[in-house]
Amino acid sequence: MALTGEGLRARCARELDRSPRGFLRSAWLHEAFLAVPREHFVPDRVWWPAPGPDGRYALLDRAERPRAWLKAVYLPGAALITQIDDGAVAPTGPATGRFTSSISSPGVVVELLRHLAPEPGDKVLEIGTGTGYTTALLAHRVGAARVVTVEIDPRLATRAEGRLRALGRAVRVVRGDGEPGHAPGAPYDRIVATASVRRVPPAWLAQLAPGGTLVAPLDTPYGHDLLVRLTGDGRGAATGRAVAPVEFMRLRGQRAPRPYGSLGWPPEAEAADWETLRVSVDGDGQRVRVGD
Ligand SMILES: C[S@@+](CC[C@H](N)C(=O)[O-])C[C@H]1O[C@@H](n2cnc3c(N)ncnc32)[C@H](O)[C@@H]1O
């Protein structure tokens, strides 16, 4: 088989069909995945997320190794790093530093959107545009005019906006901090964050329609994030549970660690099975409970 984006996309989709955390029975997501060319959103130079023997992250340059670059784009489990240290490191060679933007792996994007389960015509707010790839999948499902996406890094926002427009998906890309949400577009039927939080921002819940769904990666005491899926009451409160272990970059304003007790985590949660966790957020803050 020729090594084409289309061929690799189809192969990746088949692998995600077989994966216990892949499309499952989500036919719309399978269709959207095949319709959106992931390679259109990936920068020509990205870093591989695992360090080499010298402790540095290798650079994958499309111009130098086009086949390796394209293959990496369609590895189901591989995120590709698109920014280090908020852009202070130029993508000119192997590097070290803090990952601050990436294109999430196909598997993680699919998992995120499967739990979000947007319906055609839903109004969606995405926090963390990154490359715009997840945004494009959302736009494919609900319509570009129904999606608002917020990106704190203006250069990333401008690039993503251009990539989306070039694909005929002119989504509203807001440059700025997404922690306060985007009130002018509220209420939203679905809100999704692609950067993790230590504490679910109250503004997101205030902007969620009654019965709306919020999906966000939540920092935990377990050494990884958990994807939480919450249902809002339309008055700033929401309840739900953890649905999958994931790893995401932190929302910029929430990078500083805080004691878990101050974030609503009870001591018994540390030894609990993550699948039993229940999460609720309201005007009094965030609470995590070990359920049955
Ligand atoms: C994992 S990347 C997003 C990946 C994206 N879904 C994609 O498919 O390309 C997380 C993004 O969140 C952005 N981000 C971090 N803090 C933010 C904030 N407070 N408001 C908006 N965007 C933020 C980062 O700049 C980064 O681009």
Side-chain angles (χ1 to χ4, degrees), residues 38 41 82-83 86 100-104 109 112 126-135 150-153 156 174 176-180 194-196 204 248-253 255:
R38 182 171 160 88
F41 292 93
T82 56
Q83 191 190 67
D86 296 325
T100 49
S101 193
S102 68
I103 180 160
S104 310
V109 173
L112 199 70
E126 179 191 36
I127 312 296
T129 318
T131 62
Y133 174 63
T134 309
T135 324
V150 187
E151 171 57 55
I152 200 162
D153 185 297
L156 295 179
V174 177
D177 185 359
E179 194 157 346
T194 68
S196 76
W204 296 357
F248 272 84
M249 288 153 203
R250 200 80 67 213
L251 201 73
R252 260 197 211 182
R255 283 178 181 163

Side-chain angles (χ1 to χ4, degrees), residues 22-187:
F23 298 116
L24 299 182
R25 284 166 300 283
S26 187
W28 75 265
L29 193 47
H30 185 272
E31 194 262 324
F33 185 84
L34 290 178
V36 176
R38 182 171 160 88
E39 66 274 30
H40 176 78
F41 292 93
V42 180
D44 289 347
R45 285 178 293 179
V46 290
W47 288 280
W48 183 248
D54 63 356
R56 296 186 300 168
Y57 304 104
L59 190 76
L60 252 179
D61 188 334
R62 185 182 199 172
E64 284 176 9
R65 298 172 62 208
R67 290 165 66 89
W69 179 90
L70 193 57
K71 275 185 174 172
V73 167
Y74 282 107
L75 286 175
L80 299 173
I81 307 306
T82 56
Q83 191 190 67
I84 292 181
D85 289 345
D86 296 325
V89 178
T92 50
T96 55
R98 181 208 290 259
F99 299 160
T100 49
S101 193
S102 68
I103 180 160
S104 310
S105 72
V108 162
V109 173
V110 161
E111 177 118 59
L112 199 70
L113 294 183
R114 187 163 48 75
H115 287 292
L116 189 69
E119 296 289 339
D122 273 354
K123 200 165 191 194
V124 182
L125 174 66
E126 179 191 36
I127 312 296
T129 318
T131 62
Y133 174 63
T134 309
T135 324
L137 293 168
L138 285 167
H140 186 82
R141 173 62 165 171
V142 303
R146 304 293 290 167
V147 182
V148 179
T149 182
V150 187
E151 171 57 55
I152 200 162
D153 185 297
R155 281 169 301 180
L156 295 179
T158 298
R159 183 183 181 280
E161 191 173 48
R163 297 275 85 193
L164 285 160
R165 202 180 308 116
L167 214 60
R169 298 195 167 97
V171 169
R172 171 100 211 274
V173 180
V174 177
R175 290 147 180 78
D177 185 359
E179 194 157 346
H182 183 66

